[in-house]
Amino acid sequence: MPLRVFRGLIFPFDRALIILTVSKSVVYSLAKISIMDDKYFMKMALELAEKGLGFTSPNPMVGAVIVKDGKVVGKGYHKAVGKAHAEINAINDAKTSAAGGTLYVTLEPCNHTGRTLPCTLKIAEAGIKRVVVAMKDPNPDVKGGGIAYLKNKGIDVTLGICEDEAKKLNEAFIKFVETGSPFVTLKCAATLDGRIATRTGDARWVSGEESRRFVHKLRHTADAIMVGVNTVKIDDPSLTTRLDDMNGLDPARIILDTNLSISEEARVLQLDSDSDTIIITCSSVSKDKKNRIEKKGAKIIEAPVKDGLIDLASLMVHLGALEITSLLIEGGSRVNASALSAGIVDKVIFFYAPKILGGDDGIPMCMGPGPDLMKNCIPVRNINVHRFGDDVMIEGYIK
């Protein structure tokens, strides 16, 4: 039998080959199992993070799980702005069992003092030996600081497990901290032939009950909802969140009203709500009417006007300064077209109901001139399709 020398040792060739092959296979398998375990526990952390949906803004949603000897010994998530971060809640839940354990967290632990003390200090003090992070903090002022601190303390750090899922969960937070402007979602419900209302303006109801229930969940997750004054005049909506299974939060209600023509009896001016009603208008409107509207509790913001309409690009900067991190646009046609034309839309959510208006006189999804050529259409990417009852929802990204 031929002999071979491996690292100073002499083995029969065939036996050595088998030993090396088996060893390599075992190492690969162990690494694969470790990655699968990391993903399993990180997905658990992501599910916890999602419980904060709608409650944490302008903070991100974060979930954390502590594992020791293959068992979960602590869990936590960020419940609301100003309250303890996910890592702190998980460590408090684990108590002394956190020592020597692995922390799975959906966002890089903070290493700076804000509304709360740095989480990195608590992690080190708890004796955690390994931290698995889904994504770095996108804030350019703190990115990487938490990871660097943990490594300097001798804590093993793994980065990038379930990163795409973590980024999608906090897409609004990421856009806000990177640009200072809100993440904008354009929602629209239409018939199969692309009409959001009949020629008389009747739009009750284009979509079904399940779709409308989902829209109220979208309102709960958004900091603000925006419509044009014509929608207020025709539908007289409340623009609040109404959910049967939870106490959803109302978004701030933003009304685009260049000439301040809103009725003083409009429902949005009569609400008992914890959130604001904000009227966006120009500087030349009647001071007397402004005072009357403000006495009803609404806020009036004067914004630049472009081509006779509110300049939406400038408005987004102003809303960002108010810490509005996410904005849901609910139409109508002119606002939809203006938002797309201004390039402020990040995401579209279009509901198509199994109905055909069957004429060309209904109100389209967008009103105004479009491009001359198909190649100049606005591309929508990363498409997802969902069903709500008989309705089909198409979700995609523009930016």
Side-chain angles (χ1 to χ4, degrees), residues 32 35 42 104 109 119 212 221 243 247 268 306 356 399:
K32 191 173 182 181
I35 292 172
M42 187 61 77
Y104 293 85
C119 292
R212 297 197 300 274
T221 64
L243 294 169
N247 294 322
V268 291
K306 185 177 182 180
I356 300 172
K399 294 182 181 178

Side-chain angles (χ1 to χ4, degrees), residues 34 38 42 87 101-110 120 123-124 128-137 144-161:
S34 176
D38 284 348
M42 187 61 77
E87 302 95 317
T102 296
L103 169 67
Y104 293 85
V105 61
T106 58
L107 182 70
E108 177 183 2
C110 66
T120 50
I123 293 169
I128 288 171
K129 296 301 182 185
R130 181 174 180 242
V131 177
V132 182
V133 181
M135 60 173 284
K136 283 187 177 181
D137 191 323
I147 292 173
Y149 177 91
L150 295 174
K151 287 182 176 180
N152 287 337
K153 288 293 182 179
I155 298 171
D156 181 34
V157 178
T158 300
L159 176 65
I161 302 296

Side-chain angles (χ1 to χ4, degrees), residues 99-321:
T102 296
L103 169 67
Y104 293 85
V105 61
T106 58
L107 182 70
E108 177 183 2
C110 66
N111 192 43
H112 62 284
T113 299
R115 293 182 174 94
T116 60
L117 293 173
C119 292
T120 50
L121 298 179
K122 187 77 171 179
I123 293 169
E125 289 171 359
I128 288 171
K129 296 301 182 185
R130 181 174 180 242
V131 177
V132 182
V133 181
M135 60 173 284
K136 283 187 177 181
D137 191 323
N139 189 329
D141 294 329
V142 300
K143 183 185 290 186
I147 292 173
Y149 177 91
L150 295 174
K151 287 182 176 180
N152 287 337
K153 288 293 182 179
I155 298 171
D156 181 34
V157 178
T158 300
L159 176 65
I161 302 296
C162 300
E163 183 177 13
D164 290 342
E165 294 94 322
K167 286 182 175 180
K168 182 173 175 58
L169 181 66
N170 278 311
E171 58 191 9
F173 172 74
I174 293 170
K175 163 83 181 291
F176 179 71
V177 298
E178 288 182 344
T179 69
S181 295
F183 183 90
V184 179
T185 300
L186 174 61
K187 167 260 167 183
C188 191
T191 61
L192 292 180
D193 47 353
R195 304 292 169 167
I196 64 173
T198 67
R199 64 176 177 274
T200 65
D202 179 38
R204 294 178 183 258
W205 294 103
V206 176
S207 57
E209 185 176 345
E210 289 186 36
S211 296
R212 297 197 300 274
R213 229 177 359 246
F214 181 74
V215 170
H216 280 280
K217 289 183 179 180
L218 290 177
R219 289 182 180 182
H220 165 70
T221 64
D223 288 345
I225 180 174
M226 187 170 78
V227 300
V229 70
N230 286 338
T231 295
V232 174
K233 290 177 180 177
I234 295 170
D235 297 337
D236 196 21
S238 62
L239 302 178
T240 55
T241 298
R242 299 181 294 279
L243 294 169
D244 295 332
D245 56 346
M246 64 179 289
N247 294 322
L249 300 180
D250 290 340
R253 295 164 293 276
I254 298 176
I255 317 298
L256 300 177
D257 188 3
T258 308
N259 300 311
L260 199 58
S261 60
I262 188 171
S263 167
E264 294 173 41
E265 304 306 315
R267 189 176 298 177
V268 291
L269 299 179
Q270 323 297 328
L271 297 174
D272 180 17
S273 173
D274 291 333
S275 63
D276 293 327
T277 294
I278 304 171
I279 313 296
I280 311 296
T281 190
C282 69
S283 59
S284 61
V285 298
S286 164
K287 302 298 182 184
D288 181 55
K289 179 146 189 200
K290 280 178 61 178
N291 291 335
R292 295 199 305 270
I293 296 295
E294 288 175 330
K295 284 181 180 179
K296 289 182 172 291
K299 295 182 178 180
I300 293 182
I301 294 176
E302 295 180 359
V305 174
K306 185 177 182 180
D307 298 327
L309 299 172
I310 299 297
D311 185 343
L312 295 183
S314 295
L315 179 60
M316 293 306 105
V317 176
H318 193 102
L319 296 183

Side-chain angles (χ1 to χ4, degrees), residues 57-104:
S57 180
N59 286 356
M61 291 169 278
V62 184
V65 173
I66 299 175
V67 178
K68 188 174 182 179
D69 298 327
K71 295 180 180 179
V72 174
V73 296
K75 295 190 292 185
Y77 69 98
H78 184 41
K79 295 182 178 180
V81 63
K83 293 190 176 182
H85 288 187
E87 302 95 317
I88 307 302
N89 288 330
I91 291 170
N92 290 340
D93 185 42
K95 300 181 177 64
T96 57
S97 297
T102 296
L103 169 67
Y104 293 85

